[in-house]
């Protein structure tokens, strides 16, 4: 005989929760190379374990003894805001669940139960990691630390449900107008209440009871809310795809919205007075370099790192680093020229090899001179003084132009 299994609201929730877990695990397997992570995690865990034991057995560092209780509570509250509520409703349920309030309430209840357990587990893990601070800096016993962990778990559950109610009710700027004041107000109240119950066991127990009553109250308010089905579907989809979007952001480039106008060099202004073919080509390549947001971002990042690399080390290390950076930048800029030289724009026009070589040298010089001035001035200002930084800036630019000329000469010999 065939057995018939009754389909219940609780069964629907458990099935969707199981499917969600399998989907997240599958996404992790597709993106993460577990063999590589084993080699990274094992040494990392061993190092962190030793560092954690040292916080219990050795004198605490100055940053640990200097951190105040409100500061630590505020940091924990920021971690609390990373959570959410999933009730596992889908857009296709509109014809079924909206006509069956019992099924919808069951999904909401189970979703809030799951969120409360997740936040409680997260807070217990955070309290375990920060236990040396609570014990040795704030003089709390293990029972009080356990009560504080439960307190933070209840507070996290309360904040997650309250913010979830605001998310499903509003969209766009109205959503942020309501969420930001709520999050700030709840964070301030959490900091004040935690400081008030510090080292007082009866206050901790009273605070836990009060917050649990608030959790049950907002849970009942969430159950009786009407007209939020579309918001529930939207927030559930956003929550379920959060991990997937994070994983894909590391492996897939997000498509950019097309722009009709660039952010820089919008008008066809002349940068070079001599209007030879080589200069006009170099000018076009220079503008194309900065009109591309990725290469412009890389240029700014390299500029900031180069300034720090020559300003922080002592002499003569900073001078050696400066020379190495000039060589690295010359290679990078010539590779950027190669990308431009092999583009369809260049293929439309007939160039001789000499004109292209002159254009390449002009373009890389235009890219190097701003960075060379900043690097040289930072090197001189950190080593000798502000006035001497002007002299070192001129020297670094001259050295850089010399290295760029040698690199261009070697490239021209290879191309012949």
């Amino acid at each position: 005989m065939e057995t018939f299994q009754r389909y219940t609201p609780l069964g629907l929730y458990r099935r969707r929760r199981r499917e969600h877990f399998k989907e997240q695990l599958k996404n992790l397997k597709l993106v993460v190379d577990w063999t590589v992570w084993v080699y990274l995690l094992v040494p990392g865990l061993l190092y962190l374990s030793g560092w954690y034991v040292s916080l219990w057995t050795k004198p605490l560092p100055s940053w640990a003894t200097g951190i105040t209780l409100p500061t630590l509570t505020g940091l924990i509250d920021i971690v609390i805001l990373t959570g959410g509520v999933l009730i596992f409703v889908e857009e296709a349920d509109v014809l079924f669940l909206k006509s069956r309030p019992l099924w919808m309430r069951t999904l909401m209840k189970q979703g809030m139960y799951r969120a409360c357990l997740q936040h409680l587990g997260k807070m217990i893990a955070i309290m375990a990691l920060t236990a040396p601070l609570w014990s040795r800096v704030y003089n709390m016993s293990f029972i009080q630390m356990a009560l504080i962990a439960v307190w933070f778990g209840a507070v996290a559950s309360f904040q997650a449900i309250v913010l979830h109610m605001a998310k499903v009710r509003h969209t766009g700027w109205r959503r942020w107008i309501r969420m930001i004041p709520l999050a700030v107000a709840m964070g301030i109240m959490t900091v004040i209440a935690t400081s008030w119950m510090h080292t007082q066991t009866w206050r901790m127990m009273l605070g836990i009871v009060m917050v649990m009553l608030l959790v049950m109250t907002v849970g009942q308010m969430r159950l009786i809310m009407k007209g939020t089905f579309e918001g529930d579907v939207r927030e559930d989809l956003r929550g379920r795809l959060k991990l997937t979007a994070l994983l894909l952001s590391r492996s897939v480039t997000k498509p950019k919205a097309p722009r009709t106008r660039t952010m820089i060099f919008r008008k066809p202004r002349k940068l070079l007075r001599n209007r030879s073919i080589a200069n006009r080509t170099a000018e076009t390549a220079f503008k194309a370099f900065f009109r591309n947001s990725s290469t412009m971002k890389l240029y700014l990042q390299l500029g900031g790192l180069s300034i720090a690399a020559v300003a922080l080390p002592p002499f003569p290390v900073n001078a050696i680093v400066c020379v190495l950076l000039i060589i690295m930048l010359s290679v990078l800029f010539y590779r950027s020229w190669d990308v431009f030289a092999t583009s369809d724009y260049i293929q439309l026009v007939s160039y001789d090899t000499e004109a292209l070589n002159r254009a390449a040298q002009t373009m890389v010089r235009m890219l190097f001179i701003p960075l060379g001035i900043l690097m040289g001035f930072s090197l001189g200002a950190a080593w000798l003084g502000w006035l001497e930084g002007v002299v070192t800036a001129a020297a670094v630019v001259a050295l850089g132009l010399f290295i760029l000329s040698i690199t261009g000469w070697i490239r021209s010999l290879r191309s012949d």
Side-chain angles (χ1 to χ4, degrees), residues 141 143-145 147-148 196-208:
S141 63
I143 296 177
Q144 291 175 342
M145 286 190 291
L147 291 175
I148 284 291
W196 172 74
M197 64 178 61
H198 177 226
T199 67
Q200 298 291 331
T201 305
W202 68 271
R203 290 182 179 180
M204 295 178 186
M205 297 179 68
L206 178 61
I208 292 171

Side-chain angles (χ1 to χ4, degrees), residues 232-250:
D232 292 331
V233 173
R234 181 186 65 249
E235 292 305 318
D236 255 45
L237 183 61
R238 181 177 298 167
R240 292 199 303 268
L241 296 180
K242 186 181 297 183
L243 178 61
T244 305
L246 179 63
L247 295 174
L248 291 178
S249 65
R250 303 299 179 185

Side-chain angles (χ1 to χ4, degrees), residues 4 42 52 67 81 83 95 100 114 176 274 298 312:
F4 175 74
V42 172
Y52 183 76
I67 188 171
L81 295 175
L95 299 177
R100 290 168 174 80
R114 175 179 177 270
W176 294 106
N274 188 350
L298 178 62
L312 297 179

Side-chain angles (χ1 to χ4, degrees), residues 270-276 279 283:
K270 300 177 182 179
L271 301 179
L272 299 173
R273 182 175 299 179
N274 188 350
R275 307 308 295 169
S276 63
N279 284 357
E283 183 181 291

Side-chain angles (χ1 to χ4, degrees), residues 34-47:
W34 294 107
T35 304
V36 176
W37 273 99
V38 166
Y39 288 102
L40 295 177
L41 287 176
V42 172
L45 290 175
L46 292 175
Y47 173 77

